[in-house]
Amino acid sequence: MRVNNIKREFNKGLWEVNPLMRQLLGMCSTLAITTTVMNAIFMGLGVMFVLICSAFFVSLIRKIVPQEVRIAVYAVIIATFVTIVDIFFKAKFPLVSKALGPYVPLIIVNCIILGRCEGFSSRNSILVSVLDGLGMGLGYSWVILVLAILREILGSGKLLGISILPNSYNPLIVMVLPAGAFLILGLLLAIMNSIDIKRKG
Amino acid sequence: MKDIVTIFISAILINNLVLYYFLGICPFLGVSAKIESALGMGMAVIFVMTLANTISWLIYHLVLIKLGITFLTYIVFILSIASLVQIVEMVVKRFSPSLYKSLGIFLPLITVNCAILGSTLFMIAKDYNFIEAVVYGFSGGLGFTLIIVIMASLREDLDYADVPSIFKGAAITLITTGLFALVFMGFSGLISA
């Protein structure tokens, strides 16, 4: 395997086929948990862990899984790792676990993970699959981090729970409400489109 | 009885799965381009969500709790939803070919519809009794259908709108959804907590 190739598999998830912005996968958790930066960090780590582990196992067993039951097998693999993440968060970070609530178990149906298992890991070698998982995981994480930073600052004037804007700032409460999530993600998508247009033009 | 009405109304208008909990956004963005397909998807979701909540409630209370293996909840739930969808698909195909034609392509997609798994998890978290759980599943599906159909009709009009090029496609859809969520916030005063 050439170094170039490896680099490409890793890089593509960051921008070119970014799972969130380009493929519009995994929207639910993205919009729901980006109210604070802390939540976004933990969610990003959780998704990355599940992505990499399931990419490894799906790739490992890709030749022995019968075609008909493959989705169910992937779902069980993913659910197993999600359960591990959930129990770990509950034990070590009870506050974060409470804030994330049902969105940790909902990683199971995060289409990014099933999508990568089905579309990539099931037909590629272990090394490439893990790299792909890592790239996609980082691509997901940076987007939710940016989203969370914007929403937390605009919506409450805080960053990681510490006030950073002067007291005279009147928080735009709508930003931490569901409506704000849709609005900010829409604007972010438009900004990304304009960067792409500039690059090409 | 009052509780059930409350659950029914709040699941449709106030704590809507799509606009409030952000569940089922992927199919929401995917099939809400045309009213017809949105309606088909919505019907399939109502059907499967009601059944999924019924079965998950039974499994959780009669098997998982009795045996003390609730840590397996997620694995068991996702497997039961996957097999439920499979069975529904086979039954519908066998007994109602016309229904299968309209619902068929949406059924496999439902397995990974987070709204289904989400509603079963919420129904456990909120500690609903059996009837409440079934009502919650049904009204959750109804709420999903309502939003997705309204959104589809908006998007059909959006096709003819002169949108700035950088906003074309998903960006404008998300912003429209955001405005829409704002509108629905008006319903939150309907039921006092």
Side-chain angles (χ1 to χ4, degrees), chain B residues 76 78-90 111:
Chain B
V76 171
I78 190 70
L79 268 184
S80 54
I81 291 172
S83 27
L84 181 71
V85 171
Q86 200 91 69
I87 294 168
V88 168
E89 194 180 350
M90 287 191 296
T111 313

Side-chain angles (χ1 to χ4, degrees), chain A residues 67-80:
Chain A
Q67 192 68 11
E68 299 79 22
V69 294
R70 66 184 196 290
I71 299 287
V73 172
Y74 301 159
V76 171
I77 293 176
I78 296 168
T80 310

Side-chain angles (χ1 to χ4, degrees), chain B residues 50 53-54 57 123 128-138:
Chain B
T50 314
N53 269 19
T54 312
W57 192 93
M123 146 305 261
Y128 283 156
N129 66 31
F130 182 67
I131 296 178
E132 286 169 343
V134 176
V135 170
Y136 184 67
F138 178 71

Side-chain angles (χ1 to χ4, degrees), chain A residues 24 27-28 31-32 76 79-80 83 86 102-103 105-106 108-109 111 114 174 177-179 182-183 185-186 189-190 193-194 197, chain B residues 19 21-26 71 74-75 78-79 111-112 114 117-118 121-122 166-167 170-171 174-175 177-178 181-182 185:
Chain A
L24 294 178
M27 283 291 167
C28 320
L31 295 164
V76 171
T80 310
T83 306
D86 188 48
Y103 295 100
L106 283 172
I108 300 171
V109 278
C111 344
L114 201 68
V174 68
L177 293 174
F182 287 111
L183 294 177
L185 190 65
L189 210 60
N193 285 342
S194 72
I197 290 173
Chain B
L19 296 180
Y21 290 115
F22 307 104
L23 297 176
I25 301 274
C26 311
F71 62 90
Y74 309 152
I75 301 179
I78 190 70
L79 268 184
T111 313
V112 285
C114 23
L117 184 66
L121 292 173
F122 284 133
I166 55 165
F167 279 101
L174 283 168
I175 289 176
T177 316
L182 273 178
M185 272 164 56

Side-chain angles (χ1 to χ4, degrees), chain B residues 26-47:
Chain B
C26 311
F28 170 73
L29 292 175
V31 302
S32 69
K34 280 176 79 184
I35 296 182
E36 252 169 60
S37 46
L39 206 58
M41 183 70 175
M43 292 301 151
V45 167
I46 295 179
F47 195 51

Side-chain angles (χ1 to χ4, degrees), chain B residues 87-107:
Chain B
I87 294 168
V88 168
E89 194 180 350
M90 287 191 296
V91 170
V92 172
K93 196 176 183 179
R94 172 77 180 74
F95 291 103
S96 172
S98 61
L99 187 63
Y100 180 76
K101 247 188 185 163
S102 53
L103 290 191
I105 47 167
F106 301 111
L107 282 172

Side-chain angles (χ1 to χ4, degrees), chain A residues 5 28 36 47 53 69 83 86 89 91 93 118 144 146 157 169-170 176 183-184 199:
Chain A
N5 218 351
C28 320
T36 67
V47 167
C53 293
V69 294
T83 306
D86 188 48
F89 279 3
F93 309 99
E118 162 76 1
I144 60 169
V146 170
Y169 176 73
N170 202 358
V176 287
L183 294 177
I184 294 226
R199 264 191 178 173

